[in-house]
Amino acid sequence: MATATAGPRSFSAAEVRARCAQGACLVSCHRRLYDLSGFVRLHPGGEQLLRRRAGTDVSAALDGPPHRHSANARRWLEQYYVGEMEPGDEQSLSETVDEKVVDAAAQIPEQTDLCYKTVDVEKDLVDWQKPLLWQVGYLGEKYDEWVHQPVDRPIRLFHSDILESLSKTAWYVVFLVWTPVVLYLSWFSYTSLAQGNTRLFSSFTTEYSIPVHKYYFPFIFLLGMFLWSLLEYLIHRFVFHMKPPASNYYLITLHFLLHGQHHKSPFDSSRLVFPPVPASLVIGFFYGVLRLLLPEVLGLSVFVGGLCGYVIYDMMHYYLHYGSPRKGTYLYGLKAYHVKHHFEHQRSGFGISTRFWDYPFRTLIPEETFKKED
């Protein structure tokens, strides 16, 4: 005898309000109910905006105006589906929530027994119970579309626990590892320049070589940071966002390892910054290039500025995903810009710590998409 499959659970308006009063964040959309409690602090528009929608129907807010949510945002919402509103009760959900209730709910830890799915394993193209790195290469022509459909769940790359641990990094590890290096190399570069032995073009001519004084160090340091911002843009656009050939298993796998994993799971906090071990290899390569192009101390001074720029970039990248900048600030705009890159404009908006290089390279996300949200 076949076992009947249980249908979606029904919720009354009273139950939804009660759960919201306990700190949960439930919203409905055309009778479908979603539990956003685990996502509320990650919401690109800010936690308070989503809290004010708790216990209400968000159909109109999704469709706009002022902002029509993308297909990826709607797909993202489906991950938090928990059931259906009882017939007739969807109309009784309040349209607004008192600000005092919002503030009180924000102080209550999310405690909910609603078990929502984060991905439909049966319908997805990969087996989420196994490491993904060795599976994605078989997706072929489906890979590019799949990797740009983000999900809210952690990713496992390797079978080996050791390799898996090396592929994850807490944000503060980058700061703790590289800040002492930046400070030491800055001191070393400055004191070396203070000796007065560094001259530009000395390998070509001694008569017309230019002395590099210690007072030039701050400007050389800033030049290194500026060059890093260009390098950040070029790597993000042409390496991280290359479109691997559908027939090349290894390039697809490499792309997923370098950056595809981040676009698939943009809020995986352990994969938002570059692990120090592989980072040291890349950093060493660029230092070697500078040594070939510039005098030793001068090249080191440019390098340390670039290294500082890299640390700021990694810290800012984490903040753009998990921080809550105040509306109207530079970082608020940058966060909105980066979120649109993930959910709507994956082929533009490559600047992370700055939009500057998106202007000359003509990859700026259209300004009108932000005016709709003001």
Side-chain angles (χ1 to χ4, degrees), residues 83-97:
E84 304 283 330
M85 292 296 300
E86 292 182 355
D89 269 14
E90 69 272 12
Q91 300 297 329
S92 63
L93 290 181
S94 60
E95 295 183 357
T96 58
V97 179

Side-chain angles (χ1 to χ4, degrees), residues 83 151 205 245 247 318:
V151 298
T205 174
S247 59
Y318 183 89

